[in-house]
Amino acid sequence: MGFSDKQLSDDEQVIYHLHTHVKALIVPVLVLLVLAAGVGFGLSALPDGELVGTVGRWAIVIVGVVVLGVWVIWPFLTWLTTTYTITSERLITRQGIITRTGRDIPHTVINDVAYEMQLTDRILRCGTLVVSAASEQGQVRLHDVPRVHQVQLRLSELVREAHDLDERA
């Protein structure tokens, strides 16, 4: 799912369009595997043709569907709908499944771009991008950004170029 060209100004170009790092899906995948094994074992362990077996099967299926929705489908949809887009003119964040929220920060109001990486982030090559802007919200933290160091460097270059253009004008 790319970024719509309708949301860009005439000369604006998309530099990066990113989802949060795929590490956000590790726990849902593990839950899915354990859930499939558990439901399969539970359904096969119950006796056939008895009331206890029928009620038990329905209970296992209902619990399985609830766990699937809460621990697998919802996190996947959250991952899918959380995007960070860096264009030649602004930083755009979008997130939310039911209620969408977004933020656009022009490069001209960004004061600082930094990143944070924990040990697991360093192994997986992702991290948190910390953008300080001259606005009411102050700092924006973009969690689990893939290739965070590369993104931070490029965003810093774009911010510097935007500030240089502002000074010349």
Side-chain angles (χ1 to χ4, degrees):
M1 179 166 59
F3 193 75
S4 174
D5 288 340
K6 290 186 254 178
Q7 297 179 2
L8 301 174
S9 63
D10 292 337
D11 296 333
E12 193 172 15
Q13 298 173 343
V14 173
I15 309 297
Y16 289 111
H17 180 69
L18 308 164
H19 288 279
T20 56
H21 193 271
V22 75
K23 83 175 190 180
L25 299 177
I26 292 172
V27 170
V29 167
L30 292 175
V31 169
L32 180 63
L33 294 173
V34 170
L35 180 65
V39 168
F41 176 76
L43 291 176
S44 67
L46 291 174
D48 289 333
E50 296 180 20
L51 181 60
V52 172
T54 304
V55 171
R57 279 188 173 79
W58 277 108
I60 289 172
V61 168
I62 289 170
V63 169
V65 167
V66 170
V67 170
L68 180 74
V70 172
W71 287 88
V72 178
I73 295 173
W74 190 263
F76 174 75
L77 291 176
T78 300
W79 172 82
L80 190 64
T81 59
T82 301
T83 60
Y84 308 132
T85 305
I86 297 174
T87 71
S88 54
E89 296 179 12
R90 58 195 165 132
L91 169 65
I92 304 165
T93 63
R94 300 286 185 262
Q95 61 188 18
I97 298 168
I98 297 170
T99 302
R100 297 282 293 162
T101 58
R103 186 154 182 211
D104 294 13
I105 305 172
H107 295 323
T108 55
V109 300
I110 295 175
N111 297 330
D112 182 47
V113 182
Y115 68 92
E116 299 170 355
M117 296 174 80
Q118 297 176 358
L119 179 60
T120 55
D121 293 336
R122 291 177 70 187
I123 293 168
L124 297 172
R125 295 187 176 158
C126 65
T128 300
L129 191 67
V130 182
V131 179
S132 299
S135 67
E136 291 177 12
Q137 287 80 14
Q139 254 186 13
V140 177
R141 299 177 74 80
L142 308 178
H143 298 282
D144 296 331
V145 176
R147 303 178 318 273
V148 69
H149 185 256
Q150 178 184 351
V151 172
Q152 183 263 344
L153 287 174
R154 184 65 178 121
L155 182 56
S156 293
E157 290 172 4
L158 291 168
V159 167
R160 188 172 46 255
E161 290 171 7
H163 285 274
D164 287 348
L165 286 176
D166 255 10
E167 289 174 4
R168 289 184 207 145

